[in-house]
Amino acid sequence: MAPDTQAIVDARAIHKHFGALHVLKGVDLKVAERELVFVIGPSGSGKSTLLRCLNRLEEPSSGSILVDGIDMLDARTDINHARQRIGMVFQSFNLYPHMTALGNVTLALRKVAGKSRAEADRLGQAALERVGLADRAGHTPGQLSGGQQQRVAIARSIALEPRVMLFDEPTSALDPELVGSVLEVMRSLRESGMTMIVVSHEMGFARNAADRVVFMDDGLIVEQGPPAAIFESPTHERTRAFIGQIQRH
Amino acid sequence: MTNFERFLDTFFNGKVMLKYLPDILSGMVVTIELAVLIVLSGLAAGLSLALIRSLAIRPINWLIIFVVDLFRSLPPLVIIVLMYFGLPYAEVSPSGFVSTWLSLALVLMAFSEEIFWAGITSVHKGQWEAARSTGLSFGQTLMNVVLPQALRITIPPLTNRTIAITKGTALGTVVAVTEILGEASSAVSNSYNPSPLMLGAAAYLVLFLPVVVLARRLETKFAWKR
Ligand SMILES: Nc1ncnc2c1ncn2[C@@H]1O[C@H](COP(=O)(O)OP(=O)(O)OP(=O)(O)O)[C@@H](O)[C@H]1O
Ligand SMILES: [Mg+2]
């Protein structure tokens, strides 16, 4: 991390137990402003759990998490307020099916950010514009393709002007021909300077958009570095095996 | 007289019907009052219990489940009779009207709580997570995201249950409530003719058929595609 940039996310020694299952075994992750960190690793290695700990959808068993200087695990922190700064995009979109695209995007603007309906509609429309769906504002999720739904989900997050965006396999549920449009939106987000942590299998995207690739296995970060280094010359055996496996596919 | 004429004279005797029409009409008013009170208080209580249950406070949920199971198991008639004849021993003497209202409201509360609760739990976990991740509180998520989706699923079972329990107002006759069936049966014994009963049946049809049709409309209106 360059010394002149500030850490937006500073997670230290994160442990997470699910009953007897020890899923995160002391993860440290520091993400600088405007950095795009790509997280890879085998199924069950704890990638989703790590992301979900960062905005406290999952309660870490121990450790500390600072996001934009806010102590996420402090009982005195207004977690609902803090979560506005951390956008999250899910594999299954999770749009509200009973609302229009604009309704999805404006709900938190009105209820959490306290905007008037007119102001929320204006900001929501602008967010839909950024994901290329200004003309779909009045459509319900059922009337949108998977790719469009995921872009609305991204708009729902960016409308709140978060300091960091978390993506948990944003394209895994999409038909191959729809993946490109979502990656396109993520790329433009990155160009606008958004700090991003992305769990994904889209290695092509990682290669040309990520600043850093983090390889996780069995609840620990095994290795990390620039994409070229991780993909071309991984130092750990487990990383090599994993990279070899996904490149064969 | 042919058999058919005898049948008409017995069951659809115009003179008898005309005589007891005012009684049946006043019975209808009582039935409507009871039905409205039962539906409003029963559904409100059922929804409140389901919302409290979603807070997941163990001892409170055990209590809710116990109460709900109790009132789903007991026959409504038993509850009405216990309330009317039993409560006076505890120095409370509810009228027949109040006993019927409260009993059926409790039954509707119990069944509708289960239906509302099933609706709430059927909403995908991802909906909660998406809403909470944008900063919505538990209550805001419940009210704005989860409940609207839950209610759509609950409408068909809820309308069926509500209609079935509301028809139970006829049980009020055993505790001297002068609703439709009560008026009809005293008219039958006074006139030695079953025609008032037919009038009573007609009154139920007039009251409940529009409700059943409306329920069907609601069901098709809210059966929406995801
Ligand atoms: N709520 C939960 N309760 C119990 N175990 C859980 C829970 N969530 C996750 N786990 C377990 O924790 C481990 C890590 O899960 P996680 O979803 O973080 O893995 P992942 O790296 O995201 O995997 P994938 O690539 O399949 O998404 C798995 O063994 C999983 O079964
Ligand atoms: Mg995962």
Side-chain angles (χ1 to χ4, degrees):
Chain A
M1 196 166 69
D4 58 334
T5 51
Q6 188 202 341
I8 294 288
V9 174
D10 189 352
R12 297 185 191 192
I14 305 298
H15 285 262
K16 176 64 186 175
H17 299 263
F18 287 112
L21 199 62
H22 198 176
V23 172
L24 295 179
K25 302 176 177 172
V27 174
D28 295 302
L29 185 67
K30 215 167 175 178
V31 180
E33 190 157 11
R34 307 173 84 87
E35 196 181 13
L36 192 157
V37 173
F38 211 83
V39 182
I40 58 172
S43 181
S45 55
K47 307 180 295 294
S48 298
T49 307
L50 175 61
L51 283 197
R52 296 158 57 81
C53 281
L54 294 181
N55 67 354
R56 243 177 85 187
L57 276 186
E58 216 69 80
E59 200 71 42
S61 308
S62 65
S64 73
I65 298 172
L66 293 183
V67 176
D68 198 21
I70 297 172
D71 184 347
M72 295 297 289
L73 304 184
D74 188 333
R76 285 163 302 183
T77 299
D78 178 351
I79 189 69
N80 296 324
H81 187 74
R83 279 178 177 151
Q84 287 182 82
R85 296 161 186 250
I86 314 169
M88 187 163 205
V89 174
F90 304 84
Q91 180 174 348
S92 51
F93 327 138
N94 299 343
L95 291 184
Y96 315 134
H98 58 300
M99 293 181 185
T100 62
L102 188 63
N104 269 271
V105 177
T106 53
L107 182 65
L109 281 172
R110 290 192 289 122
K111 302 288 173 182
V112 188
K115 308 283 186 202
S116 69
R117 185 178 280 276
E119 178 70 353
D121 282 352
R122 195 182 63 72
L123 293 170
Q125 194 64 45
L128 286 172
E129 187 105 37
R130 283 181 72 184
V131 300
L133 289 173
D135 57 336
R136 295 288 192 277
H139 292 225
T140 59
Q143 299 167 325
L144 299 172
S145 76
Q148 291 171 332
Q149 288 187 54
Q150 192 60 301
R151 282 146 66 198
V152 173
I154 294 173
R156 176 171 64 183
S157 286
I158 61 176
L160 294 164
E161 297 184 1
R163 297 286 278 134
V164 54
M165 288 277 293
L166 313 175
F167 292 83
D168 194 356
E169 307 205 21
T171 57
S172 299
L174 296 176
D175 293 334
E177 71 272 19
L178 300 177
V179 169
S181 67
V182 171
L183 292 182
E184 197 51 52
V185 167
M186 290 171 65
R187 194 162 290 139
S188 81
L189 252 187
R190 156 147 195 67
E191 274 153 22
S192 74
M194 180 66 76
T195 308
M196 295 159 74
I197 306 177
V198 181
V199 173
S200 167
H201 301 298
E202 298 293 336
M203 297 305 156
F205 181 74
R207 272 173 204 280
N208 58 46
D211 296 297
R212 177 161 47 121
V213 174
V214 169
F215 173 68
M216 279 185 76
D217 191 18
D218 196 22
L220 279 170
I221 292 179
V222 174
E223 182 168 2
Q224 52 183 313
I230 299 293
F231 291 130
E232 260 62 83
S233 51
T235 52
H236 283 260
E237 184 48 46
R238 281 189 283 174
T239 320
R240 214 170 299 147
F242 179 75
I243 302 281
Q245 206 177 8
I246 50 174
Q247 280 174 345
R248 246 176 282 127
H249 283 287
Chain B
M1 275 212 288
T2 64
N3 269 342
F4 183 62
E5 281 164 343
R6 263 197 300 277
F7 167 79
L8 280 186
D9 191 53
T10 312
F11 285 92
F12 295 92
N13 187 309
K15 249 189 273 157
V16 177
M17 282 189 169
L18 208 60
K19 182 172 172 207
Y20 289 101
L21 186 61
D23 290 351
I24 299 292
L25 287 179
S26 87
M28 267 177 93
V29 173
V30 175
T31 298
I32 293 172
E33 287 171 351
L34 263 179
V36 169
L37 284 172
I38 291 164
V39 170
L40 291 182
S41 53
L43 292 181
L47 181 59
S48 306
L49 286 189
L51 292 177
I52 294 171
R53 191 168 169 186
S54 70
L55 296 174
I57 304 165
R58 280 261 180 88
I60 292 182
N61 283 8
W62 287 333
L63 189 68
I64 291 175
I65 292 168
F66 172 75
V67 169
V68 161
D69 285 353
L70 184 73
F71 285 108
R72 290 199 304 162
S73 319
L74 286 172
L77 182 60
V78 172
I79 306 172
I80 293 173
V81 168
L82 278 179
M83 208 173 266
Y84 186 71
F85 295 105
L87 277 188
Y89 291 99
E91 307 289 327
V92 199
S93 301
S95 65
F97 183 90
V98 170
S99 302
T100 308
W101 163 28
L102 289 184
S103 301
L104 294 178
L106 284 170
V107 174
L108 183 57
M109 170 192 82
F111 278 100
S112 67
E113 188 279 337
E114 279 303 294
I115 294 170
F116 284 128
W117 177 245
I120 289 172
T121 52
S122 76
V123 175
H124 194 265
K125 189 165 133 283
Q127 294 288 311
W128 283 98
E129 295 183 342
R132 296 307 303 273
S133 77
T134 60
L136 262 64
S137 68
F138 177 90
Q140 287 174 323
T141 303
L142 187 61
M143 290 307 185
N144 295 285
V145 175
V146 175
L147 208 53
Q149 297 182 53
L151 289 184
R152 291 186 191 224
I153 323 170
T154 57
I155 281 173
L158 207 56
T159 47
N160 285 337
R161 206 31 102 168
T162 303
I163 291 165
I165 291 171
T166 312
K167 279 189 298 191
T169 46
L171 296 171
T173 44
V174 297
V175 290
V177 179
T178 52
E179 46 65 69
I180 297 173
L181 191 66
E183 292 287 5
S185 46
S186 58
V188 167
S189 45
N190 290 339
S191 64
Y192 303 105
N193 182 293
S195 296
L197 210 53
M198 295 300 111
L199 211 50
Y204 275 109
L205 281 182
V206 168
L207 277 189
F208 284 97
L209 208 54
V211 178
V212 174
V213 171
L214 187 73
R216 192 184 298 283
R217 288 264 179 84
L218 272 179
E219 283 169 27
T220 31
K221 181 165 176 239
F222 284 104
W224 95 130
K225 288 191 225 86
R226 272 170 191 270

